[in-house]
Amino acid sequence: MKTTKILSIIFKNFLKSKRTNSENKCFSILLIWFVIFVLVRNTFAQDYTTWHLPEGAMARLGKGVIEEIAYSADGTHLAVASSIGIWIYNAQTGEELDLLVGHTRGADSVAFSPDSSTLVSGSLDGTVRLWNTQTGTLLYTLPGGNAVRTVAFSPDGSTFASGGWDGTVRLWNAKTETLIHTLIGHTNTTFGDTDPVVSSVAFSPDGTHLVSGSWDDDTIRLWNAKTGTLIHTLTEDMSTTDSVAFSPDGSTFASGGWNGTVRLWDVKAGARLHTLTRDWRPVSSVAFSPGGTHLVSGHTDGIISVWDTQTGVHLRSLEGHTSNVNTLAFSPGGTHLVSGSWDGTIRVWNAKTGTLIRILTRHTSYVSSVAFSPDGTRLAYGTSGAYGAGEGIIHIWDTRIRIQLHTLTGHTETVSSVAFSPDGTHLLSGSWDDTIRLWNARTGGFLRSVKAHASSVNTVAFSPDGTCFAFGGGSYDFGLIGLWSAQTGEFLRTFKGHFKGHTKEVYSVVFSPDSTRLASGSRDGTIRVWNTQTGIQLHTLTIYPDEVYSVAFSPDGTYLTAGSSERTIRIWDAQTGVQLHTLAGYLWATGSVAFSPDGEHIASGGAIDGGTIRAWDVRTERLIYTRQGHTGDVNSVAFSPDGNILASGSRDGTVLLWNLNTDTSKTGYPSEDVNGDGVVNIQDLVRIAGKFGEIGDNPADVDGDGVVDIVDLILVAVALGEVAVAPLQMHSGFPFTAAEVSQWLLEAKPFQDVSPTYARGILFLEQLLAVLTPQKTMLFPNYPNPFNPETWLPYQLAAPANVSIAIYAVDGTLVRTLALGHQSVGVYQDKSRAAYWDGRNA
């Protein structure tokens, strides 16, 4: 608002002042760029896909797996503990406000202090952290034991509790950062020496009691929160308990667990009051409404149940989530209910009616596979529900402007593998649901599915010639490989059945660049190379007893590499099967390997060791670089076709795009620099406008899809909006009208619900339209002066009009009338659009 007033004052003073022609021209340019750089940059915060990136990364796709959600006490904010950090949302609008990072394995639990000034978080990295909610700064870090699974603030804010994988509950002084009590009692004899995970803790409303739920031998424990002494141990075949919550009056608490029931307990007596159940559906989360009249429970099948706490009657079910609802929270006033799920969505409901109000997206479940389109403009990745449970989803993103183009659903279990066809028109996906699906990669439309009859499909691959695709799968005691026609989807029976040889499930298949060979890696510890024409096995390469997770051919087909549980990467001569190199350096398995497009490097993703990515020189065996930033195992890596970007998909639910291009001399100018003058500026937007609708090879086709369209325009607008300091090589006006810009915005309207990056480009056009839409019709001083043989007369129109300009001599005699015809709203200022007079009379 302040910026708008300043701009208004500047503009009014500008109109009143006396100016030379050069001053008028310079001020117009400055005014336009003031709008572009100040208004656009102030309106949008930094694109959240670039918030707090690890060194070397250029973008993060996805926000991580949702673990827990908490409302601030004033109801204005939501904190979402995720596998990469803590997201802070505006509770009213759903807008991302901040991302708090620091936990090396993401955040598992989060809670606001009663005054909303502080946030406490627990993590599998074994730490408890406190944050200032106003600034987002870390206040201090405390050791929470083996791995912290749950945290909670006391009602008065003086203490907080944490529980985790070591089976203890810790009580902390929130002011002095000191440990007050360690509550010991949860045990685990069922699973031998396995630690009894404390999965959930909750304070009573008066702060006198603390309840803890555990994965131990069917117990819930009630403690004195002041002294740390045990009051009750509650049993009754509850199996593992995932969630506990106190009623607002403190007289009862609820528990939910994997035995499929919700139980209500009397705090004073330590006895069960009600058992709430409809069907046997494991319970992951429970929450009381602020008034205490209702209780909600989240289930592993994606259903939310609403119960009457007095009668135990089931009132309604809220449906929409497709996977485990692992967190629930009521707003402080009780008007809203928020739910988070392993399906990657946060849903906001009307707590009274059960009506869905809003869905927050872009959270993802575990990423299992990543693949670039052949032109590098799109990236697809497959996901699963956390821990492999729930519907598998495929996400397709535009890698240039970081917007999600499509979300493909249909697989009922984990999407284990995705692959683009060689021409980029189709996308192949394989799933643990034993199906292979073919999609239109540009529209996201489903084309057909194939039943693999392999128990599960772990990997799919298109042949480079585009004629067929292969899959690998099976189960623990058998492995299958199949070859199918890409045109008909029919099984190629030339080989009298599946390729036979692997004794355990196949994890990876890949074609040689000439499509004549197929390599497969299996849990049985072998890599097998097959002739795709005859089905004959050419080589058997052994790593046994280690499992082979990933195989890859070099781009020229001379090398074959594999990642395995052996903690090494091996390289073989693909023709002879002779081992050439062994690359060591991982502390645990290498889950994925990929050759760079030039064949000089191999990238690999690691497990357990903090999600480390390593790149090696193929010939010298030298480690070139490492990349760290994922908070979970790296399941898949892929190079962009030009080799400038490495994508890594992780168990943390995100894909990181790493910038590998450190030598700008190799790439020249960015594609948004349409005219190749070394800077992205308004002239590039002009060039796009001039080429609108043209097809074929064209510098104005920024995204390389074969046509100059609105997306290319937005790409340049985004680049203009992101420029901080750059040489401004502009002319005095725009060779397009407000009507044309309005039409561009109309074409961009279907893409409004996209990332802030794309929205920044749209806002650029909106502000440009504002500049081109004057509030007043005016004629400006001509340039150069009339004593030149020719001159231009700039003007602006606040409304469409038939325009004519009359030129008089100093004695009032009419010299010439310039009839310009009907003109649209806009600024007609530069030589291509202003009125032209050759200095002659009629």
Side-chain angles (χ1 to χ4, degrees), residues 632-762:
D633 304 351
V634 175
N635 296 325
S636 183
V637 292
F639 283 95
S640 61
D642 61 7
N644 290 329
I645 300 173
L646 179 69
S648 57
S650 170
R651 188 179 174 87
D652 67 13
T654 68
V655 174
L656 285 174
L657 301 181
W658 305 89
N659 185 359
L660 304 182
N661 177 32
T662 56
D663 184 1
T664 56
S665 64
K666 290 184 179 180
T667 59
Y669 301 130
S671 57
E672 292 89 350
D673 180 17
V674 178
N675 62 3
D677 64 357
V679 61
V680 180
N681 58 20
I682 200 67
Q683 294 181 16
D684 299 297
L685 199 67
V686 171
R687 184 69 63 92
I688 295 285
K691 300 290 184 180
F692 221 65
E694 293 187 10
I695 60 175
D697 188 18
N698 194 321
D701 180 18
V702 178
D703 67 351
D705 66 351
V707 60
V708 181
D709 56 16
I710 188 62
V711 175
D712 303 301
L713 199 74
I714 291 293
L715 284 169
V716 174
V718 168
L720 281 167
E722 290 181 340
V723 171
V725 179
L728 302 183
Q729 300 175 6
M730 278 189 55
H731 40 70
S732 59
F734 299 95
F736 36 74
T737 66
E740 290 174 310
V741 177
S742 294
Q743 180 60 34
W744 298 340
L745 284 167
L746 185 64
E747 293 182 36
K749 191 173 182 179
F751 306 102
Q752 289 291 328
D753 185 21
V754 295
S755 75
T757 301
Y758 195 90
R760 186 181 294 115
I762 293 176

Side-chain angles (χ1 to χ4, degrees), residues 282-307:
V283 180
S284 300
S285 52
V286 293
F288 278 95
S289 64
T293 58
H294 296 89
L295 177 77
V296 291
S297 57
H299 302 266
T300 56
D301 60 0
I303 302 296
I304 300 169
S305 296
V306 183
W307 310 86

Side-chain angles (χ1 to χ4, degrees), residues 85-377:
I86 304 157
W87 290 92
I88 307 298
Y89 286 92
N90 181 309
Q92 280 69 48
T93 65
E95 177 190 2
E96 304 91 351
L97 301 177
D98 203 356
L99 172 62
L100 310 181
V101 297
H103 286 297
T104 58
R105 296 193 62 187
D108 253 38
S109 184
V110 66
F112 280 97
S113 62
D115 62 2
S116 301
S117 66
T118 309
L119 195 69
V120 62
S121 60
S123 169
L124 294 182
D125 66 10
T127 65
V128 177
R129 296 181 181 233
L130 263 75
W131 312 80
N132 183 308
T133 57
Q134 298 300 314
T135 64
T137 54
L138 178 66
L139 299 176
Y140 52 84
T141 302
L142 301 172
N146 185 13
V148 179
R149 184 69 179 80
T150 177
V151 293
F153 255 108
S154 64
D156 63 3
S158 63
T159 61
F160 62 87
S162 65
W165 286 70
D166 62 0
T168 67
V169 178
R170 288 173 165 83
L171 291 175
W172 306 85
N173 185 308
K175 305 298 182 184
T176 63
E177 313 169 24
T178 56
L179 180 64
I180 304 171
H181 300 293
T182 299
L183 313 184
I184 301 173
H186 286 291
T187 58
N188 192 346
T189 59
T190 303
F191 300 103
D193 295 330
T194 305
D195 288 331
V197 178
V198 175
S199 56
S200 183
V201 294
F203 281 94
S204 61
D206 62 3
T208 59
H209 294 88
L210 180 78
V211 63
S212 59
S214 173
W215 297 354
D216 66 2
D217 295 330
D218 301 345
T219 68
I220 296 172
R221 294 175 184 260
L222 189 66
W223 313 81
N224 183 308
K226 302 298 183 182
T227 65
T229 55
L230 180 65
I231 301 173
H232 296 298
T233 299
L234 313 176
T235 57
E236 293 196 27
D237 187 30
M238 290 173 295
S239 185
T240 58
T241 300
D242 258 3
S243 183
V244 292
F246 268 99
S247 62
D249 64 5
S251 64
T252 62
F253 69 85
S255 65
W258 284 74
N259 65 353
T261 67
V262 177
R263 303 194 180 194
L264 297 179
W265 305 85
D266 183 281
V267 172
K268 186 175 182 179
R272 179 167 56 88
L273 297 173
H274 298 292
T275 297
L276 313 180
T277 183
R278 292 190 70 209
D279 302 309
W280 189 90
R281 299 199 313 268
V283 180
S284 300
S285 52
V286 293
F288 278 95
S289 64
T293 58
H294 296 89
L295 177 77
V296 291
S297 57
H299 302 266
T300 56
D301 60 0
I303 302 296
I304 300 169
S305 296
V306 183
W307 310 86
D308 185 296
T309 55
Q310 297 301 313
T311 64
V313 172
H314 180 267
L315 300 177
R316 69 175 69 92
S317 294
L318 309 183
E319 300 183 8
H321 286 297
T322 59
S323 188
N324 184 28
V325 180
N326 59 323
T327 179
L328 293 163
F330 279 95
S331 62
T335 57
H336 295 87
L337 171 70
V338 64
S339 59
S341 168
W342 289 350
D343 66 10
T345 65
I346 297 169
R347 294 174 182 254
V348 182
W349 313 80
N350 181 306
K352 183 176 181 180
T353 65
T355 305
L356 181 64
I357 298 172
R358 184 183 302 112
I359 302 177
L360 308 183
T361 60
R362 306 296 188 266
H363 282 279
T364 45
S365 48
Y366 293 0
V367 177
S368 53
S369 176
V370 297
F372 276 99
S373 62
D375 63 4
T377 62

Side-chain angles (χ1 to χ4, degrees), residues 54-57 586 604-606 609-615 623-630 634 646 648 656-662:
E55 184 179 356
Y586 279 99
S604 58
D609 62 349
T612 303
I613 299 162
R614 290 175 170 82
L623 179 64
I624 303 170
Y625 59 79
T626 60
R627 296 288 185 268
Q628 290 182 309
H630 283 295
V634 175
L646 179 69
S648 57
L656 285 174
L657 301 181
W658 305 89
N659 185 359
L660 304 182
N661 177 32
T662 56

Side-chain angles (χ1 to χ4, degrees), residues 416-417 430-432 434 452 454-461 470-482 498-510 518-530 537 547-551 563:
S416 54
S417 183
S431 169
W432 291 357
D434 196 33
S455 183
S456 68
V457 176
N458 297 324
T459 175
V460 293
F471 83 87
S475 66
Y476 185 82
D477 56 357
F478 72 96
L480 293 177
I481 299 171
H498 299 73
F499 291 24
K500 295 181 179 179
H502 286 297
T503 59
K504 293 182 180 180
E505 61 183 309
V506 175
Y507 284 139
S508 179
V509 293
V510 62
L518 182 75
S520 56
S522 168
R523 176 181 271 184
D524 65 13
T526 68
I527 300 161
R528 296 170 189 257
V529 182
W530 316 82
Q537 185 173 313
E547 301 173 356
V548 180
Y549 297 131
S550 178
V551 290

